[in-house]
Amino acid sequence: MHLVRTEGTVLGLRERKKRATRRALAEAAVRLAAEHGAENVTVEAISEAAGVSPRTFFNYFDTHDDAFVMIDRDVGERVRRAVREAPAGRPPLEVVREAFAAELMNVEEQQEIWRLRATVLQRSPHLLVRGMGAHIADEIALAGAIAGRDGAATPAVPPTGRRQPPCAERPAPGPFPDTSHLDLYPRLLASVANTAVRVSAEHWCAQAQAETPSPAAFLEIFHDVFDQLAAGLPQPQPGDRPSKDSRRTP
């Protein structure tokens, strides 16, 4: 995912170059891994394909594996910043929708890379696990940004005299971050919004692969999904599906 404009302001030349370099490295890594297998692709090969030095590679990715997992690791921070900076009083679901929509404006240009990346992750279980860990961390960080809008990020302290549930008596297993400071709503909204983005992308890709006649654009599907969430997710009835002309655009 990448963005050319933020709140109507053209990005500076330096930032555009940084994003272009990161994108070139990630695309080179994914293409090489799809052809040769991630375990057979070196940092040197990725850097050469992207036209930069191996030293430059490590300015954008901490490890070799990150290049296959993170197309743009700054997307999450930009989404969170947009959520935090949105005017107070706006519905949280609407704020999150618009934050994601801004980042997904040009996603159709990335369809091939998304497809190849999915193939690479499926072939390398350790990368898939790494990707899931990054996804969980981003989701919890988004929940924190949502909570911070209305002060909902308060410690979960049980009332005096009440025993904590068993799950609170021991640390969470594995690498999962601590979420005890977050209320339920921010966690649920962040999880539902991330799932909505994933389902939108999967449905859009499935249409393209099936060569569906007159397939909907990605953002049309994206806004259809969020419209259904905003309506409370009622079961659609025949004829309820919005027409292309009525679908929202960012």
Side-chain angles (χ1 to χ4, degrees), residues 3-206:
L3 180 64
V4 175
R5 293 176 180 270
T6 301
E7 296 181 356
T9 303
V10 178
L11 294 174
L13 177 61
R14 182 178 180 182
E15 181 63 20
R16 290 203 305 273
K17 286 184 175 180
K18 287 175 60 179
R19 293 192 189 182
T21 300
R22 186 192 306 279
R23 189 163 60 249
L25 284 165
E27 290 185 6
V30 169
R31 291 184 188 280
L32 288 169
E35 183 177 356
H36 304 290
E39 65 280 4
N40 299 316
V41 177
T42 64
V43 168
E44 289 75 16
I46 296 170
S47 302
E48 182 179 357
V52 300
S53 69
R55 183 175 180 179
T56 298
F57 175 94
F58 288 106
N59 290 335
Y60 294 91
F61 300 101
D62 294 332
T63 70
H64 164 270
D65 287 351
D66 285 345
F68 309 113
V69 172
M70 301 178 184
I71 299 296
D72 188 344
R73 66 181 176 184
D74 293 334
V75 167
E77 175 52 38
R78 293 197 296 269
V79 168
R80 294 190 292 273
R81 183 169 60 246
V83 168
R84 290 192 299 265
E85 295 177 353
R90 295 191 58 201
L93 178 61
E94 183 178 300
V95 168
V96 173
R97 177 213 287 242
E98 292 185 1
F100 273 117
E103 288 297 326
L104 294 164
M105 288 172 58
N106 301 316
V107 73
E108 297 197 14
E109 300 172 10
Q110 299 292 302
Q111 183 178 20
E112 181 189 10
I113 292 299
W114 278 29
R115 178 179 57 79
L116 291 176
R117 177 174 175 268
T119 299
V120 170
L121 296 183
Q122 289 168 3
R123 291 175 179 172
S124 302
H126 76 285
L127 293 179
L128 185 59
V129 171
R130 192 180 188 92
M132 289 176 63
H135 176 80
I136 291 171
D138 265 351
E139 185 176 291
I140 292 173
L142 175 59
I146 295 168
R149 287 179 50 79
D150 58 5
T154 54
V157 179
T160 303
R162 291 184 59 182
R163 187 173 183 271
Q164 294 190 32
C167 62
E169 296 176 353
R170 59 182 183 271
F176 294 101
D178 178 20
T179 60
S180 61
H181 62 294
L182 293 168
D183 287 340
L184 178 61
Y185 178 78
R187 289 283 289 113
L188 180 61
L189 177 53
S191 180
V192 168
N194 273 325
T195 299
V197 173
R198 177 178 58 79
V199 170
S200 300
E202 289 175 353
H203 185 71
W204 168 62
C205 288

